[in-house]
């Protein structure tokens, strides 16, 4: 559903006991330009060097089984008054956390792979044992429990890698924003708005406008369509945006 409100990126800030928000309008042109580039190059790497392009970075990925994804643009101002446009893709792109020219995630990607690779191997090994022909029902449910604990522990450890920085130079972890008994929704911190704001805060850039749009094949529930703008999501971004937007001067 397209949203016409000019302020789509907003969240309640506990420290200030108020809602902070960021306008959309200053980032609209840059978002339209990004759409044009995606359409023209059909690639996530806009450099002119077409010979060395990785097939992984083709936008064909967005029209495959993986479907489309959200993209975001943040226009900010540098210390010297120059404008700078940052761009982000939500989550991973075709198994990649980092792509040249796009803002990085809220954690060190190498730490992420070092953490997840061995645990995922272990989870797969448990799965293989569960499919064994001579397995007793007792052993099966024991393994099932093991696999579940492994995945839950891994999620907790992944979430602990995230560091959120705001414009007051404060840092936070994800767990500070979600009730302990409810857990943190999967993918929290991986949307474009948190990636963009965190990056701008760490580089002392002043955000002027932020917009998020969908690009690629329509999602399964048909709620997202290519080229349309959407507000920041409520379940994952809602609880953290107030913190991330805190301290922007002149807003
Ligand atoms: Zn979100
Ligand atoms: Zn605040």
């Amino acid at each position: 559903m397209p949203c016409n409100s000019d302020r789509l990126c907003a969240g309640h800030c506990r420290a200030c006991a108020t809602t902070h928000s960021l306008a959309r309008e200053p980032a609209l042109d840059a978002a339209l330009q990004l759409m044009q580039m995606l359409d023209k190059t059909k690639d996530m790497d806009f450099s002119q060097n077409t010979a060395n392009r990785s097939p992984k970075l083709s936008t064909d990925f967005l029209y495959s089984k993986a479907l489309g994804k959200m993209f975001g643009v943040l226009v900010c101002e540098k210390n010297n008054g120059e404008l700078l446009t940052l761009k982000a893709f939500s989550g991973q792109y075709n198994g990649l956390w980092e792509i040249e020219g796009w803002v990085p995630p809220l954690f060190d990607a190498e730490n992420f792979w070092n953490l997840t690779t061995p645990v995922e191997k272990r989870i797969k090994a448990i799965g293989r044992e569960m499919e064994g022909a001579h397995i007793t029902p007792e052993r099966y449910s024991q393994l099932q429990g093991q696999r579940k604990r492994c995945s839950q522990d891994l999620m907790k450890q992944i979430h602990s890698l995230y560091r959120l920085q705001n414009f007051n130079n404060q840092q936070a972890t994800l767990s500070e924003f979600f009730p302990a008994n409810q857990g943190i929704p999967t993918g929290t911190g991986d949307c474009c708005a948190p990636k963009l704001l965190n990056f701008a805060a760490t580089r002392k850039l002043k955000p002027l406008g932020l917009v998020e749009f969908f690009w690629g094949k329509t999602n399964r529930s048909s709620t997202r369509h290519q080229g349309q703008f959407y507000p920041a999501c409520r379940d994952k971004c809602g609880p953290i945006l107030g913190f991330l937007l805190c301290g922007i001067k002149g807003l």
Side-chain angles (χ1 to χ4, degrees):
M1 202 193 314
C3 186
N4 296 318
S5 159
D6 187 47
R7 290 186 176 259
L8 302 168
C9 180
H12 181 79
C13 173
R14 273 186 235 158
C16 304
T18 185
T19 297
H20 298 311
S21 63
L22 192 57
R24 178 179 85 157
E25 213 283 325
L28 275 182
D29 278 351
L32 293 171
Q33 280 172 32
L34 176 56
M35 290 182 203
Q36 278 174 11
M37 286 305 280
L38 290 168
D39 195 36
K40 197 175 104 190
T41 64
K42 312 251 183 289
D43 202 277
M44 293 288 282
D45 179 2
F46 303 148
S47 67
Q48 298 302 305
N49 190 358
T50 48
N52 295 326
R53 275 185 179 171
S54 157
K56 279 199 116 171
L57 298 182
S58 160
T59 56
D60 288 352
F61 171 70
L62 301 169
Y63 302 90
S64 66
K65 264 190 276 175
L67 307 177
K69 62 165 57 241
M70 291 297 292
F71 288 81
V73 165
L74 176 65
V75 171
C76 16
E77 196 181 88
K78 296 201 239 175
N79 269 341
N80 62 7
E82 268 177 46
L83 295 186
L84 181 71
T85 298
L86 302 175
K87 60 186 193 292
F89 52 88
S90 61
Q92 291 183 357
Y93 188 89
N94 209 354
L96 303 168
W97 281 116
E98 293 176 306
I99 298 177
E100 188 67 36
W102 300 79
V103 299
L106 273 63
F107 49 82
D108 184 295
E110 199 180 315
N111 287 347
F112 177 90
W113 297 119
N114 288 342
L115 167 70
T116 57
T117 310
V119 184
E120 270 161 11
K121 268 189 199 153
R122 164 118 186 84
I123 291 170
K124 274 186 194 148
I126 297 173
R128 278 195 301 275
E129 197 179 337
M130 287 167 73
E131 285 159 18
H134 303 293
I135 192 161
T136 63
E138 291 76 25
R139 179 69 182 142
Y140 185 88
S141 57
Q142 196 184 29
L143 288 168
Q144 206 171 27
Q146 266 181 27
R147 186 168 67 175
K148 194 176 167 194
R149 277 193 302 278
C150 250
S151 309
Q152 285 172 342
D153 285 354
L154 180 60
M155 270 326 290
K156 270 192 200 140
Q157 286 178 293
I158 289 175
H159 286 145
S160 73
L161 295 178
Y162 288 65
R163 287 292 173 280
L164 287 69
Q165 183 159 333
N166 70 13
F167 298 89
N168 284 328
N169 213 16
Q170 294 165 317
Q171 284 205 349
T173 56
L174 287 178
S175 58
E176 294 171 41
F177 302 98
F178 296 87
N181 57 345
Q182 285 174 24
I184 302 167
T186 303
T188 299
D190 295 336
C191 290
C192 298
K195 283 189 188 183
L196 290 164
L197 291 168
N198 177 73
F199 185 83
T202 58
R203 303 298 152 110
K204 313 272 181 246
L205 300 164
K206 179 189 163 185
L208 301 176
L210 188 150
V211 70
E212 290 177 279
F213 65 88
F214 188 81
W215 200 255
K217 193 166 151 189
T218 299
N219 67 341
R220 274 182 199 89
S221 46
S222 235
T223 52
R224 296 263 192 266
H225 301 277
Q226 174 159 306
Q228 294 207 0
F229 298 110
Y230 296 94
C233 72
R234 281 183 184 196
D235 56 334
K236 294 175 283 181
C237 290
I240 59 176
L241 281 178
F243 172 83
L244 284 166
L245 289 164
C246 192
I248 302 175
K249 303 225 164 27
L251 266 193

